[in-house]
Amino acid sequence: MAGHSKWANIKHKKGRADAARGKLFSKLAKDITVAAREGGGDADMNITLRTCIQKAREANMPADNIDRAVKKGTGELGGAALEETLYEGYAQGGVGLLVHVLTDNRNRSASEVRSTFTRNGGNLAESGAVSHMFQRKGQILVDGGDVEEDRLMNIVLEAGAEDMKREGDQFEIITDPVDFSTVCEALEQQGVRPDTASVTMLPDVPLKIDDREQAAGLIRFVEELEDLDDVQNVYGAFDIDDDVLEALSEQDA
């Protein structure tokens, strides 16, 4: 699973830029609504909701917006029902992509996702064609300067984590989705605050990308998908070479 903490961190940093474009609050609100719908509106009893609310607060989302999103999920406020869909497809070069959508208009989201794939030289695939390349896992990223490695290892393994490794300046913790909440709560109790924590889709064998032009095009494609209002997350079966990633980051700085 090497490299996925880097990609997750890129998306985390990108999220802060999205706020300036007015899109992040909508995506965060949808996450909160779904978390409240599936696990209840009490954040003390619903770790997924608590994590979503924490992300929203870090993005300076107004408290009223958060409250409304929770109440939509619990049914206290009306609103269009959100449907969850997973689109599967390929970018140029055969790179597998999963596109997670939450929408109140399935036809609109399908049209937007399809046109984005076409515009970027990709193509959609049938259900199951790409998703079998991924596993659903909990992924937690912790700043390497915030906690000593042995202490962190003891905390997460005792709580049921599957693996922990250092990726650059971060620790990447992988869990079974069933154990994700337990590991998050263990970190919280020990005063360790993750940079990001989510249940995500991780590829079994990511395609190594060491060509700068291909990497740049792939990142642009993923960003276009993520900028669609109905798209919550994009998961890619690729791992961009460290040197290429660093060069692209400096180019965009």
Side-chain angles (χ1 to χ4, degrees):
M1 296 179 184
H4 299 292
S5 63
K6 295 178 296 182
W7 180 241
N9 199 39
I10 287 174
K11 292 198 288 184
H12 177 59
K13 291 177 180 177
K14 179 182 176 294
R16 292 194 289 268
D18 280 348
R21 295 194 292 270
K23 294 180 181 282
L24 183 60
F25 287 177
S26 175
K27 294 180 187 293
L28 290 170
K30 287 180 181 179
D31 280 339
I32 291 169
T33 295
V34 172
R37 183 179 69 193
E38 295 181 350
D42 185 350
D44 290 333
M45 302 296 293
N46 184 344
I47 184 65
T48 302
L49 177 60
R50 188 156 73 245
T51 301
C52 292
I53 290 174
Q54 179 180 316
K55 289 181 181 178
R57 287 173 175 164
E58 288 174 352
N60 296 316
M61 186 172 175
D64 286 347
N65 293 29
I66 295 173
D67 187 53
R68 281 197 300 272
V70 172
K71 288 181 177 178
K72 284 182 180 179
T74 58
E76 295 175 68
L77 286 179
L82 294 174
E83 293 186 74
E84 195 166 10
T85 305
L86 188 68
Y87 293 98
E88 307 183 28
Y90 298 95
Q92 285 188 337
V95 178
L97 297 176
L98 299 179
V99 184
H100 174 218
V101 166
L102 283 174
T103 182
D104 58 4
N105 188 323
R106 185 184 291 268
N107 290 335
R108 180 190 64 220
S109 61
S111 175
E112 291 177 344
V113 170
R114 184 179 296 108
S115 64
T116 303
F117 266 84
T118 300
R119 188 166 57 250
N120 285 275
N123 60 280
L124 289 175
E126 294 182 359
S127 178
V130 177
S131 57
H132 76 276
M133 304 176 186
F134 292 76
Q135 292 188 55
R136 190 167 181 264
K137 295 289 182 180
Q139 184 188 52
I140 304 166
L141 305 180
V142 176
D143 191 304
D146 288 349
V147 60
E148 197 270 330
E149 183 171 2
D150 287 343
R151 175 171 176 257
L152 182 62
M153 179 78 77
N154 288 335
I155 294 170
V156 300
L157 292 185
E158 287 182 9
E162 293 181 351
D163 190 22
M164 188 190 94
K165 63 182 69 175
R166 185 158 196 141
E167 289 280 356
D169 59 357
Q170 290 181 316
F171 294 112
E172 179 186 33
I173 301 156
I174 302 298
T175 79
D176 187 281
V178 173
D179 299 318
F180 174 71
S181 295
T182 302
V183 176
C184 286
E185 288 172 353
L187 291 171
E188 189 175 282
Q189 290 169 5
Q190 294 297 321
V192 178
R193 185 174 180 179
D195 287 342
T196 66
S198 63
V199 175
T200 186
M201 299 292 287
L202 297 179
D204 293 322
V205 184
L207 182 65
K208 190 73 172 180
I209 306 295
D210 54 16
D211 179 81
R212 183 168 173 174
E213 184 175 344
Q214 182 185 9
L218 189 55
I219 289 174
R220 283 195 302 270
F221 183 11
V222 170
E223 287 180 342
E224 280 192 42
L225 287 168
E226 289 182 329
D227 280 343
L228 298 177
D229 289 340
D230 293 335
V231 172
Q232 291 298 104
N233 292 290
V234 180
Y235 309 109
F238 62 90
D239 181 14
I240 298 176
D241 181 82
D242 285 356
D243 292 339
V244 173
L245 195 59
E246 184 176 349
L248 292 174
S249 297
E250 291 175 354
Q251 178 180 307
D252 294 337

